[in-house]
Amino acid sequence: MSLLEIQNMTQRFGGLTAVSDFSVRLEKGELCGLIGPNGAGKTTIFNLVSGFYTPTVGAIEFNGENITGKKPHKVTGKGVARTFQNIRLWHDMTVLDNIRVSQHNHLGYGFLDAVLRLPRYNRRTSEIDAWAFEILEALQLAQYANEYPKNLSYGLRRRVEIARALSTKPKLLLLDEPAAGLNTADLDGLISLIRWIYENFDITIWMIEHQMQVVMTLCQRIQVIDFGATIAQGTPKEIQNNPEVIKAYLGDDTI
């Protein structure tokens, strides 16, 4: 059974077809890429998988369960986490609180437990704090636990966003252009970070990325879309040498 399977998915917005007859199958433990020109429909596909949109046509199965049309918090609860091209952190909350709040799907206590500070509430609060610190330490962010994201560098904010996604204990991590806005030095650090996450967490990673250095270095398989439709699939080497991909996206001077 595949971890994620999308069958013949189409998404229309009025007269615009953003995604056309898209299918993909991700197996547990893969690290795969989704690339294509701006406006090709990549982020729309991630929005469909994570529950922000409901497909016009098609089905999305995750871990053997149909999650088509489920709300984002329900999809997260099933084990899908994501980051965004434009970093979405709560900038007036500390880094630690950004991680804590992501645990809302795993609280394990009720309203009365919280109001009366019952043992269940105290126990789960301690467990959530311990897990948050563990994630921050793993991603070398513990020293920024009480800092506000708005005061951090762009590269660190990106790392915090990835930490928040990982704190939900996902089976599938969707990375939407994690290298966006990073300089060359930060790019090398990002590649090392994603590789480390892949090797140390029991996780499948699916990433959208325009930086070919990131995609070609990390991904085992790559799917290319243009105008919402798949034009190529294969290994990094196969994609680099695919004439349709070169014509639509990479350009002769990229290979």
Side-chain angles (χ1 to χ4, degrees):
M1 179 180 66
S2 301
L3 182 65
L4 177 71
E5 185 168 0
I6 299 175
Q7 302 173 357
N8 308 112
M9 184 172 68
T10 294
Q11 178 65 25
R12 301 186 184 94
F13 299 105
L16 172 67
T17 300
V19 178
S20 178
D21 197 33
F22 179 85
S23 297
V24 71
R25 179 179 293 174
L26 297 182
E27 305 298 336
K28 182 178 178 181
E30 287 194 295
L31 200 170
C32 298
L34 179 65
I35 67 173
N38 288 327
K42 304 181 299 297
T43 295
T44 298
I45 290 170
F46 273 21
N47 285 337
L48 287 160
V49 173
S50 52
F52 289 92
Y53 301 148
T54 299
T56 308
V57 178
I60 304 168
E61 287 192 2
F62 179 72
N63 210 24
E65 180 178 350
N66 191 328
I67 62 169
T68 311
K70 288 189 180 294
K71 299 298 183 183
H73 70 281
K74 294 290 186 182
V75 176
T76 301
K78 297 295 181 183
V80 179
R82 69 169 294 182
T83 65
F84 295 85
Q85 180 180 351
N86 299 313
I87 298 173
R88 299 185 184 182
L89 295 171
W90 290 281
H91 289 287
D92 292 319
M93 296 171 63
T94 65
V95 167
L96 179 59
D97 283 339
N98 267 271
I99 306 302
R100 282 174 173 150
V101 78
S102 68
Q103 299 301 300
H104 69 278
N105 278 318
H106 308 285
L107 289 180
Y109 59 80
F111 177 74
L112 286 178
D113 295 308
V115 171
L116 300 176
R117 296 296 195 270
L118 295 179
R120 183 187 301 175
Y121 169 83
N122 293 326
R123 182 178 65 253
R124 282 298 295 136
T125 299
S126 296
E127 290 170 352
I128 288 169
D129 285 351
W131 175 241
F133 273 110
E134 185 177 337
I135 286 292
L136 291 177
E137 288 176 355
L139 272 69
Q140 300 179 348
L141 291 166
Q143 61 183 309
Y144 305 107
N146 296 314
E147 187 58 83
Y148 293 97
K150 62 185 178 182
N151 298 327
L152 301 179
S153 69
Y154 190 88
L156 284 173
R157 294 201 302 273
R158 180 67 74 186
R159 190 177 285 253
V160 171
E161 188 185 35
I162 294 173
R164 185 178 62 184
L166 286 173
S167 73
T168 67
K169 301 181 180 180
K171 298 179 180 70
L172 173 64
L173 177 62
L174 307 177
L175 299 176
D176 191 350
E177 295 197 33
L182 299 183
N183 58 38
T184 303
D186 285 339
L187 205 62
D188 292 337
L190 177 72
I191 291 172
S192 297
L193 175 63
I194 295 174
R195 182 181 287 117
W196 183 86
I197 290 169
Y198 178 69
E199 291 173 351
N200 288 276
F201 285 75
D202 183 19
I203 199 168
T204 301
I205 298 177
W206 194 20
M207 63 188 302
I208 295 170
E209 189 50 69
H210 280 293
Q211 289 282 355
M212 289 299 100
Q213 177 187 350
V214 177
V215 176
M216 298 300 172
T217 299
L218 291 171
C219 293
Q220 300 155 351
R221 292 192 296 116
I222 300 170
Q223 188 165 357
V224 189
I225 62 173
D226 193 19
F227 295 107
T230 299
I231 62 171
Q233 299 184 65
T235 65
K237 184 175 182 180
E238 289 169 341
I239 294 301
Q240 283 179 314
N241 293 288
N242 186 297
E244 289 299 316
V245 176
I246 295 171
K247 179 181 177 182
Y249 182 45
L250 295 178
D252 294 305
D253 57 349
T254 307
I255 306 303

